[in-house]
Amino acid sequence: MSIKIDENRCVGCSRCVEVCPGNLLKLRTTEPKTAGSRVAYIRHERDCWGCTSCVKVCPRGAVSLYLGADIGGRGASLTVKTDGSVRTWRITKSDGTVQEITVNSSDANTY
């Protein structure tokens, strides 16, 4: 498992860099060098733990978890959108189909 970063969606906010427990994410300057021209990248994909911390904090959906064939994902990717206490997990399969799972965190520990 590893993450993918869509440089076209990344705004260089560094939230993912700050939450990565493995210190694997960094920012680099893109060309042309203008204000806001930083993007996140992962140093060593093989070291990614798959914790999804970076996926959950990205405000633009630029970071996705790659669900490889070895875990049954067959190349799907997972992104997260947060709106208040509601978090929507979006699985985009390799054939283009999409499945969404919505969770309200205020109900997380309700029995």
Side-chain angles (χ1 to χ4, degrees):
M1 264 190 301
S2 184
I3 62 161
K4 293 189 292 187
I5 299 174
D6 182 344
E7 292 185 6
N8 295 320
R9 299 182 102 182
C10 180
V11 294
C13 69
S14 79
R15 291 181 186 178
C16 59
V17 174
E18 295 166 6
V19 300
C20 180
N23 196 28
L24 300 174
L25 301 177
K26 301 293 178 198
L27 291 177
R28 66 176 164 77
T29 304
T30 60
E31 295 294 331
K33 295 179 181 177
T34 59
S37 63
R38 300 183 318 160
V39 294
Y41 71 97
I42 184 167
R43 291 188 316 164
H44 304 290
E45 292 179 3
R46 68 181 180 278
D47 294 336
C48 180
W49 305 347
C51 72
T52 71
S53 293
C54 56
V55 177
K56 291 185 277 187
V57 299
C58 182
R60 303 278 300 188
V63 184
S64 60
L65 182 69
Y66 178 72
L67 305 172
D70 58 331
I71 61 165
R74 295 186 179 89
S77 63
L78 172 77
T79 55
V80 181
K81 180 181 178 188
T82 302
D83 185 12
S85 63
V86 176
R87 186 169 280 156
T88 303
W89 297 80
R90 182 183 178 117
I91 301 166
T92 305
K93 298 180 181 178
S94 57
D95 65 2
T97 59
V98 174
Q99 179 181 3
E100 291 187 342
I101 302 166
T102 302
V103 178
N104 188 332
S105 62
S106 63
D107 298 333
N109 293 319
T110 306
Y111 298 97

